[in-house]
């Protein structure tokens, strides 16, 4: 079955939100009816919901069979609004709750597809971890080299200064 414009729009918003979440500087405070969330917890919850939605959009036929156009339009609208209010935890919470209410009947969190999506993301993170470790190793090596060069430069400078002082002494 072919993807629909609503599913494509949701996919695009998922990608934009995933890129934007790490750039948000969380505010201090507690949010929600029972003050059960921090701003960071809300961002983490949004990231988890995006994983659920990614699982749904990767199986458009299943997504279409589980949802109505109104469901998909509600999700699309809430995602767009959430993107506009990253820095406002109270407003962000409203859109997160709206999405949670819409997708809850789909039981996506406990499906094999969601597990596979999570497994794929973990594999990608593992690759990024290895790359980061390599970069860190290279940076540490470069720092040692720079420190050695600084030390050698200081020795050369001191030696040069001593020679200049000796030359001045010999001229007098």
């Amino acid at each position: 079955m072919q993807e629909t414009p609503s599913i494509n729009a949701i996919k695009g918003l998922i990608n934009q939100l995933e890129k934007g979440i790490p750039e948000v500087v969380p505010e201090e405070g507690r949010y929600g009816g029972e003050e059960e969330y921090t701003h960071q917890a809300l961002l983490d919850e949004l990231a988890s919901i995006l994983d659920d939605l990614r699982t749904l959009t990767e199986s458009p036929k299943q997504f279409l069979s589980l949802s109505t156009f109104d469901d998909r339009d509600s999700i699309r609208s809430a995602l767009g609004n959430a993107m506009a209010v990253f820095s406002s935890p109270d407003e962000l919470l409203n859109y997160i709750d709206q999405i949670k209410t819409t997708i809850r009947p789909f039981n996506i969190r406990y499906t094999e597809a969601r597990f596979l999506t999570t497994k794929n993301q973990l594999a990608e993170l593992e690759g990024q971890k290895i790359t980061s470790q390599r970069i860190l190793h290279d940076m540490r090596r470069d720092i040692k080299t720079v420190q050695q060069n600084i030390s050698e430069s200081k020795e050369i400078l001191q030696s040069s200064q001593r020679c200049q002082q000796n030359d001045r002494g010999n001229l007098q």
Side-chain angles (χ1 to χ4, degrees), residues 1 20 31 39 50 55 59 67 70 81 100 109 152 154 158 160 162 171:
M1 184 172 283
Y31 307 93
H39 192 185
L50 294 176
T55 300
S59 302
S67 65
D70 287 341
N81 291 332
K100 284 167 63 172
R109 284 248 163 123
E152 289 172 9
K154 284 180 180 178
Q158 289 172 351
S160 175
R162 282 192 301 267
L171 289 175

Side-chain angles (χ1 to χ4, degrees), residues 51-116:
D51 287 342
D52 294 342
L53 291 171
R54 181 168 302 289
T55 300
L56 287 168
T57 60
E58 287 176 355
S59 302
K61 184 175 181 179
Q62 180 185 15
F63 193 11
L64 290 171
S65 71
L66 292 172
S67 65
T68 65
F69 170 76
D70 287 341
D71 291 335
R72 293 186 304 279
D73 192 52
S74 173
I75 292 167
R76 182 202 50 76
S77 176
L79 288 173
N81 291 332
M83 190 165 34
V85 296
F86 268 149
S87 300
S88 178
D90 286 323
E91 292 181 67
L92 182 60
L93 176 59
N94 291 333
Y95 298 117
I96 287 173
D97 283 347
Q98 181 182 346
I99 298 167
K100 284 167 63 172
T101 302
T102 304
I103 66 172
R104 184 174 292 133
F106 305 159
N107 282 327
I108 197 65
R109 284 248 163 123
Y110 308 104
T111 64
E112 186 176 339
R114 174 62 155 83
F115 172 75
L116 291 175

Side-chain angles (χ1 to χ4, degrees), residues 7-20:
I7 292 176
N8 286 332
I10 291 169
K11 278 182 163 183
L13 288 166
I14 290 169
N15 292 333
Q16 290 175 17
L17 285 161
E18 285 177 336
K19 290 176 185 170

